[in-house]
């Protein structure tokens, strides 16, 4: 059975998560990114549209290129974006 966290450990984890979210927002939020989709293995282009306080980064992309009405979403845990995403532009639109 896992050991319960102390209040100090919970505060430290919360502070660490808050720092990672802040870093992720400054690096990824609003930027165009490319990634290899985990299901079909194809390179996709998307935009980071949200970095939530709970540590989840949301990327929206087109499921069918050329259509604006069908969007897909992919979620990545904060701190692991570099394993999945590559910045395409460095200027926010």
């Amino acid at each position: 059975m896992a050991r319960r966290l102390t209040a100090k450990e919970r505060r430290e984890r919360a502070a660490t998560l808050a720092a990672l979210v802040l870093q992720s927002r400054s690096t990824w939020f609003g930027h165009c990114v490319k990634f290899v989709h985990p299901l079909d293995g194809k390179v996709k282009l998307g935009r980071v549209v949200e970095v939530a306080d709970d540590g989840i980064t949301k990327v929206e992309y087109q499921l069918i290129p050329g259509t604006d009405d069908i969007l897909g979403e992919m979620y990545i845990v904060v701190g692991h974006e570099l394993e999945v995403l590559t910045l395409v532009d460095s200027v926010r639109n």
Side-chain angles (χ1 to χ4, degrees):
M1 190 165 156
R3 180 181 70 84
R4 293 182 61 169
L5 295 176
T6 65
K8 179 181 177 185
E9 290 170 330
R10 285 193 300 274
R11 284 192 304 271
E12 289 172 351
R13 286 187 183 190
T16 301
L17 178 61
L20 284 172
V21 166
L22 185 63
Q23 175 66 32
S24 184
R25 283 181 180 150
S26 66
T27 303
W28 299 103
F29 181 70
H31 290 285
C32 185
V33 294
K34 70 178 179 178
F35 58 94
V36 176
H37 194 277
L39 296 178
D40 63 11
K42 295 179 181 176
V43 175
K44 306 278 186 181
L45 290 175
R47 183 161 306 277
V48 177
V49 294
E50 181 182 4
V51 180
D53 290 335
D54 63 356
I56 302 295
T57 301
K58 178 181 174 182
V59 178
E60 284 186 351
Y61 62 95
Q62 291 181 334
L63 284 175
I64 302 171
T67 61
D68 292 333
D69 57 346
I70 303 175
L71 292 177
E73 298 174 343
M74 185 170 76
Y75 298 90
I76 304 162
V77 176
V78 167
H80 295 278
E81 293 96 347
L82 276 175
E83 298 171 14
V84 181
L85 303 176
T86 304
L87 281 175
V88 173
D89 69 356
S90 58
V91 179
R92 294 181 191 190
N93 292 331

